[in-house]
Amino acid sequence: MASDELFASGHRGCAGCGEAIAVRMVLQAAGPNTIIANVTGCLEVMTTAYPETAWKVPWIHTAFENAAAVASGIDVALKKLGKRSGINILAFGGDGGTFDIGFQALSGMLERGNNVTYIVFDNEAYMNTGIQRCSSTPFAASTTTSPAGKVSIGKKQKKKPIASIVAAHDIPYTATAAIANYRDLKRKVKKAVDVDGPSFVHIFSPCPTGWRYPSELTVELSRMAVETGVFVLWEVEGPDLNNIKVTYRPKERKPVEKYLKMQGRFRHLFKPERRTDILNKIQKDVDEKWKWLEGLNEMAR
Amino acid sequence: MGTKQVVKGNFATAVAAKLVKVDVVPAYPITPSTLFPEQISTYIANGEMDAELLLVESEHSAMSAAIGASASGARVATATASQGLKLMSEMLFIASGMRLPIVTAVGNRALSAPINIWCDHQDTIAERDSGWLQFYAENNQNALDLMIMAFKISEDHRVLLPSMVGLDAFVLTHTMEGVDVPLQEEVDKFLPPYKPVYTLDVKNPITFGSFGTPAYYTEFKYQQWEAMKNAEEVIDEVFSEFYSKFSRKYEKLSEYRTDDADIIFLTMGSMSGTARAAVDKLREKGIKVGAAKLTVFRPFPFDEIKALSKKAKVLAVVDRNISFGFGGAVFGEVAGALINEKENPILMDFILGLGGRDVTQDAFSAMTDKAEASIKKGKADKMVNWINLKGELRG
């Protein structure tokens, strides 16, 4: 690791933590003139156990639901004090602190137009408290509060489409990114911090602990999510969802089953018996979402 | 020496925020504090005030943004009340834990349910353990002066804790009173610019709001405890300097006709004036009563309460709040302060004025009757007494 890394090694993240990989890339793209407001979650716990810290940039954590509001306060304060120029203000949230409890503060910040880049590291459940379902958890995933059982196939609802909802706030820049596509990720973060006004990057961050897969497969899981179309890489520039651009197209989309089979949280779809009905439904949902995005993309051309 | 203006209490808190040159005002409107963000908005719209107004989507975000702004080195004020203060509650503890000298005006208002927009002290009393300094205004002049002084006390490096200034809903927030508004240059001389110890600075990166394990958490809390202890002395210094510069005298606990009193009423907020008027009337009848007013509730003025208790046969605490399953909260604090005294007066607690019901001189007569009966008996029949209950609930 280069010595000028802004996210220091030696933090307490799990081996193969997708979020830690993503954070490192984000800071490489954002650079040293960056201030971070972080929500409560794995990231805060694993990087700041007093008196140690993994952050080489100014960093503040207050609570679970309000990084967007704290960052707004930093934005206006630095502006008033004449220190705003050349500084990137980033808000970091997990999916819990963004899709659920922090959604109001996020929406408020987007409407106000604070010059903050909000980045959500999405590992699709409340991992810090022990793998409970949240509104980011995908359909049929087994979590500790949506367990697969004799009469349950796991989470009953679909994942909340956070990035589309955010883009609908008519902000200057919204994007989705994945760690396997790291050049795309860093390019998008750079774009996000460079625009004037609120921007949002949704980063897909596999979690070996919560998804139950071997630690060394994190990047592979990220790649498979993109190659299957489970997670689509796109960006919207300017205040119009019609300007959506899919930034990466798999040559041929792989079947979603390949991605699901790699993870313990979907094991019940294959054993003790194969749940073809559920697998078909998941594939159909992915196909439909892809079609919708492609349609928007065509419209934009 | 300033100008005399006839203003509402809310206006007094807004003009104080202007005079102390706050940098950032994150705000969300709630009755009865709405005039604060409205007035700040008007000042900014007219170019009379150079501050950033951040109109957020909730009180929770208002206090969150206040924390972000204060940690960035800005002087920050906001205002709220009742349910709004409750929505901020989580962040109140974080503001004090981070040692950020934010000042909040609170239009003291009852809590739901049932929903009620009028005055009592339940909202701020319920935040007494939040690590914020608490001041209670008796009138609009107090509201203005205490807001200004709160910044100086909070920002003192021996303290570095946030402050809330309570002013009674409608009784003060919406009532016009003559107030001496100090000149800008006078306030500038009294209050230097905010000099934070640590800020979010890219040239000197620090980590705010760490994960505090059992190995360290207690020490953080002990330092907050010490800061609150230090505030006792800093408050005296600031009150005294304010008196020398502005000729208006403030005390943590102010006494009125207590020297030969048998019964002393202890009050907070706007009812304190009523208490003094009632004392005068009762004295005319030959009843030896006195009044004492708490201006500072946190840190709690133990020594002053102990000294006061030596003067009375009955110390009657008048609580405009209720801690269910115990009694009035101020009463509990007073009883706690006197626990190790050799001799104590009869302590009585009176609950009244909840949800905006008027606190009248008649109420003080009723309390006096009960206190006299206790003196005769040598003890209080009831520790907690609800005054002026209606109909069949009447005790």
Side-chain angles (χ1 to χ4, degrees):
Chain A
M1 187 185 274
S3 60
D4 58 352
E5 290 281 352
L6 298 167
F7 185 58
S9 60
H11 60 72
R12 297 155 190 223
C14 301
C17 172
E19 187 175 43
I21 298 168
V23 167
R24 188 180 159 207
M25 289 177 182
V26 168
L27 284 183
Q28 284 169 351
N33 288 333
T34 294
I35 297 172
I36 296 166
N38 210 133
V39 309
T40 307
C42 291
L43 189 57
E44 154 260 331
V45 171
M46 76 200 205
T47 59
T48 70
Y50 184 86
E52 294 164 358
T53 181
W55 301 95
K56 294 188 186 176
V57 291
W59 181 96
I60 183 168
H61 152 256
T62 66
F64 192 21
E65 65 281 47
N66 60 346
V70 174
S72 300
I74 298 169
D75 176 36
V76 297
L78 293 185
K79 196 173 151 200
K80 173 63 176 64
L81 299 173
K83 296 176 178 172
R84 185 67 186 84
S85 174
I87 307 282
N88 304 316
I89 297 171
L90 267 50
F92 281 3
D95 42 280
T98 305
F99 288 59
D100 288 348
I101 194 169
F103 187 68
Q104 174 185 307
L106 170 61
S107 180
M109 181 200 90
L110 300 174
E111 184 273 334
R112 284 191 301 275
N114 287 104
N115 192 3
V116 173
T117 296
Y118 193 104
I119 297 188
V120 53
F121 302 100
D122 176 16
N123 57 26
E124 303 196 319
Y126 301 119
M127 299 311 183
N128 190 45
T129 43
I131 325 171
Q132 294 88 15
R133 65 81 83 189
C134 75
S135 67
S136 173
T137 305
F139 173 68
S142 180
T143 72
T144 55
T145 52
S146 65
K150 279 179 187 159
V151 296
S152 163
I153 49 93
K155 195 198 175 199
K156 292 183 182 65
Q157 305 84 5
K158 287 204 278 190
K159 183 183 175 98
K160 186 191 277 185
I162 190 77
S164 311
I165 298 168
V166 165
H169 284 75
D170 287 358
I171 59 167
Y173 186 74
T174 309
T176 66
I179 52 175
N181 305 63
Y182 65 94
R183 281 198 193 88
D184 180 74
L185 184 151
K186 285 164 102 170
R187 182 184 64 81
K188 285 169 173 169
V189 171
K190 188 80 180 64
K191 256 190 180 178
V193 297
D194 283 348
V195 298
D196 191 16
S199 54
F200 184 85
V201 184
H202 176 188
I203 303 181
F204 193 70
S205 311
C207 170
T209 317
W211 298 7
R212 292 177 233 129
Y213 66 81
S215 297
E216 65 272 21
L217 291 184
T218 295
V219 176
E220 190 53 30
L221 250 303
S222 168
R223 182 172 295 118
M224 283 301 288
V226 173
E227 294 296 328
T228 53
V230 164
F231 192 81
V232 184
L233 303 182
W234 54 265
E235 64 185 358
V236 182
E237 279 179 272
D240 189 353
L241 194 53
N242 288 332
N243 287 334
I244 196 162
K245 196 165 88 189
V246 175
T247 56
Y248 174 80
R249 272 183 187 72
K251 283 197 184 86
E252 196 180 337
R253 271 192 298 125
K254 291 190 165 65
V256 80
E257 191 175 325
K258 286 199 171 180
Y259 167 74
L260 301 175
K261 257 190 174 159
M262 294 168 75
Q263 308 169 53
R265 62 178 173 157
F266 296 113
R267 196 167 163 224
H268 56 287
L269 302 182
F270 303 97
K271 287 176 186 173
E273 61 189 42
R274 186 183 161 82
R275 289 298 300 268
T276 309
D277 56 334
I278 303 296
L279 292 168
N280 286 346
K281 180 175 161 39
I282 295 172
Q283 184 65 57
K284 192 168 158 258
D285 286 348
V286 167
D287 292 346
E288 274 174 7
K289 191 175 150 207
W290 182 264
K291 218 168 115 187
W292 174 71
L293 272 165
E294 281 285 48
L296 283 177
N297 209 34
E298 281 305 314
M299 257 167 52
R301 280 183 198 170
Chain B
M1 270 306 283
T3 57
K4 191 90 176 172
Q5 296 185 35
V6 180
V7 298
K8 293 177 181 171
N10 271 337
F11 182 94
T13 59
V15 80
K18 176 169 166 263
L19 286 168
V20 302
K21 295 180 173 167
V22 290
D23 296 305
V24 177
V25 180
Y28 190 79
I30 180 169
T31 300
S33 303
T34 40
L35 198 85
F36 179 87
E38 286 172 1
Q39 191 59 39
I40 300 282
S41 305
T42 307
Y43 284 142
I44 292 173
N46 292 332
E48 292 173 59
M49 186 174 173
D50 179 22
E52 285 285 330
L53 178 66
L54 190 67
L55 298 168
V56 287
E57 81 296 337
S58 76
E59 285 91 348
H60 192 284
S61 281
M63 191 45 63
S64 302
I67 289 169
S70 185
S72 303
R75 180 173 281 164
V76 183
T78 186
T80 191
S82 187
Q83 307 302 127
L85 189 65
K86 294 306 110 199
L87 191 51
M88 281 182 181
S89 181
E90 181 195 24
M91 302 316 295
L92 297 178
F93 288 72
I94 293 170
S96 64
M98 285 190 177
R99 311 292 300 277
L100 299 171
I102 299 159
V103 175
T104 300
V106 182
N108 279 121
R109 170 187 147 184
L111 293 178
S112 292
I115 190 167
N116 172 296
I117 59 167
W118 294 274
C119 171
D120 67 34
H121 297 156
Q122 195 71 48
D123 51 3
T124 46
I125 282 290
E127 302 298 344
R128 66 182 163 166
D129 302 329
S130 64
W132 284 56
L133 280 69
Q134 287 200 0
F135 303 93
Y136 289 82
E138 182 188 325
N139 51 42
N140 294 352
Q141 185 73 59
N142 280 186
L144 188 148
D145 293 346
L146 288 169
M147 278 292 280
I148 293 172
M149 286 189 276
F151 282 95
K152 182 145 176 147
I153 296 160
S154 282
E155 291 173 7
D156 190 293
H157 285 194
R158 292 166 288 176
V159 180
L160 288 176
L161 290 171
S163 288
M164 53 182 81
V165 176
L167 57 157
D168 286 356
F170 299 101
V171 183
L172 300 184
T173 58
H174 286 62
T175 302
M176 309 280 274
E177 269 187 332
V179 164
D180 283 315
V181 179
L183 297 173
Q184 185 64 60
E185 48 267 34
E186 292 174 323
V187 176
D188 289 345
K189 268 184 212 154
F190 176 72
L191 182 73
Y194 171 42
K195 283 207 181 68
V197 183
Y198 303 108
T199 61
L200 294 164
D201 175 9
V202 292
K203 292 191 190 77
N204 180 28
I206 57 159
T207 295
F208 263 92
S210 288
F211 183 52
T213 62
Y216 295 98
Y217 184 83
T218 307
E219 281 66 29
F220 276 93
K221 294 299 123 180
Y222 178 73
Q223 287 178 306
Q224 259 177 276
W225 163 259
E226 288 230 297
M228 198 54 104
K229 281 278 169 206
N230 293 344
E232 292 174 11
E233 157 186 325
V234 174
I235 290 168
D236 286 337
E237 288 172 19
V238 171
F239 280 3
S240 153
E241 189 190 337
F242 190 87
Y243 181 56
S244 70
K245 287 206 162 92
F246 297 94
S247 307
R248 287 192 290 276
K249 194 175 177 187
Y250 286 85
E251 297 167 299
K252 292 168 179 162
L253 182 78
S254 317
E255 298 183 24
Y256 181 74
R257 301 183 83 163
T258 53
D259 281 346
D260 64 337
D262 291 334
I263 302 160
I264 298 176
F265 294 106
L266 181 65
T267 59
M268 293 201 306
S270 63
M271 64 169 150
S272 306
T274 312
R276 289 195 301 273
V279 161
D280 286 344
K281 228 181 216 174
L282 291 159
R283 284 266 178 184
E284 281 169 21
K285 291 183 191 163
I287 306 168
K288 285 156 94 180
V289 287
K293 172 182 75 167
L294 267 179
T295 297
V296 182
F297 183 65
R298 279 290 180 276
F300 195 71
F302 285 92
D303 293 341
E304 289 82 352
I305 290 289
K306 283 177 194 171
L308 181 74
S309 74
K310 301 284 176 278
K311 298 181 174 177
K313 288 182 181 163
V314 171
L315 183 52
V317 183
V318 188
D319 268 300
R320 206 162 189 174
N321 70 82
I322 177 69
S323 178
F324 299 103
F326 180 82
V330 183
F331 174 74
E333 308 283 312
V334 168
L338 300 179
I339 187 76
N340 280 329
E341 296 304 288
K342 278 200 184 99
E343 271 184 59
N344 277 325
I346 298 167
L347 293 177
M348 295 183 78
D349 187 18
F350 295 102
I351 311 291
L352 82 174
L354 303 185
R357 186 167 299 175
D358 278 347
V359 177
T360 61
Q361 293 188 34
D362 285 348
F364 283 91
S365 297
M367 291 187 273
T368 301
D369 291 345
K370 286 185 191 283
E372 285 188 315
S374 296
I375 292 170
K376 247 179 225 163
K377 272 196 177 174
K379 65 178 177 78
D381 277 341
K382 275 205 287 191
M383 187 175 91
V384 180
N385 303 272
W386 288 68
I387 296 296
N388 288 347
L389 283 176
K390 281 187 176 161
E392 60 193 25
L393 295 178
R394 190 171 292 146

